[in-house]
Amino acid sequence: MEHYTDPAPPAARGLAPTSSYFTWSTPVESRLRITATPQITLHASAPGNVMARLWDVAPDGTAVMFDENVALIQRAGRVAFDLKSTDWTFEVGHQLGVQLGTIGSGNWRDTPSGNTIEISRARVSLAVQDPRYDVPTQGDRSPFLDTYLRQNTRTLTGIGEGTFPLALRHRP
């Protein structure tokens, strides 16, 4: 069981840092694309806010946040919410980082509860595809992509070996 604090308003908390935790997939063994709309399901011990972020983490710790969303936990118990629809390809050796915790982005308006929220049974549901047979479409690289990467790339530390696989399901 993990926990974080949905902090009190900034004036009351002296601009304390956000609180969150990560879990990691094992490194991918072949290129893999996450598509569609990921969903987070979890059990929360108290009402408050939660932010979920998905990270593409390279072996050197360089990580790009490629999907995020926030949700209001209205009461203790099971909570499920969608992230934004996505289309992101992982290279060999990269890991998926899943971050859950307080709203730590200026892009979201937060009304903190002040509660410490324990999270258990957290799951992320993903649609994955094999990009092996992709054919490039006509057109240039998006001019916004470099700006996005600059704004959403960090170096993460303490990356674990991974507790869940991120792989295609092969049917016999």
Side-chain angles (χ1 to χ4, degrees):
M1 187 173 302
E2 300 289 342
H3 70 277
Y4 66 94
T5 301
D6 184 23
R13 64 182 163 101
L15 296 176
T18 60
S19 171
S20 65
Y21 71 93
F22 281 86
T23 189
W24 316 97
S25 75
T26 55
V28 298
E29 296 178 3
S30 62
R31 292 183 79 225
L32 180 85
R33 182 174 50 241
I34 295 176
T35 63
T37 305
Q39 184 180 63
I40 300 286
T41 306
L42 55 86
H43 282 75
S45 66
N49 300 297
V50 63
M51 174 177 250
R53 287 182 162 174
L54 301 181
W55 296 82
D56 176 352
V57 186
D60 68 356
T62 302
V64 178
M65 189 277 298
F66 68 93
D67 203 349
E68 70 177 352
N69 209 352
V70 298
L72 173 63
I73 301 169
Q74 295 182 328
R75 61 187 162 280
R78 184 179 182 275
V79 177
F81 61 98
D82 291 341
L83 277 69
K84 297 173 185 173
S85 294
T86 193
D87 186 336
W88 192 266
T89 301
F90 280 72
E91 298 299 326
V92 173
H94 286 221
Q95 292 175 264
L96 172 65
V98 180
Q99 179 185 13
L100 294 173
T102 59
I103 297 174
S105 167
N107 298 330
W108 302 94
R109 179 170 274 178
D110 187 16
T111 305
S113 67
N115 291 331
T116 296
I117 301 170
E118 291 184 1
I119 299 293
S120 62
R121 296 179 274 173
R123 298 182 64 100
V124 60
S125 298
L126 303 168
V128 295
Q129 295 178 345
D130 183 349
R132 177 180 5 181
Y133 301 109
D134 286 358
V135 176
T137 58
Q138 180 182 354
D140 295 329
R141 179 181 169 100
S142 168
F144 178 69
L145 181 58
D146 291 327
T147 301
Y148 180 86
L149 292 172
R150 269 193 312 278
Q151 293 175 344
N152 292 285
T153 300
R154 308 279 183 275
T155 300
L156 299 179
T157 58
I159 300 164
E161 291 183 18
T163 58
F164 63 93
L166 181 61
L168 292 169
R169 289 187 182 158
H170 296 286
R171 295 195 168 108

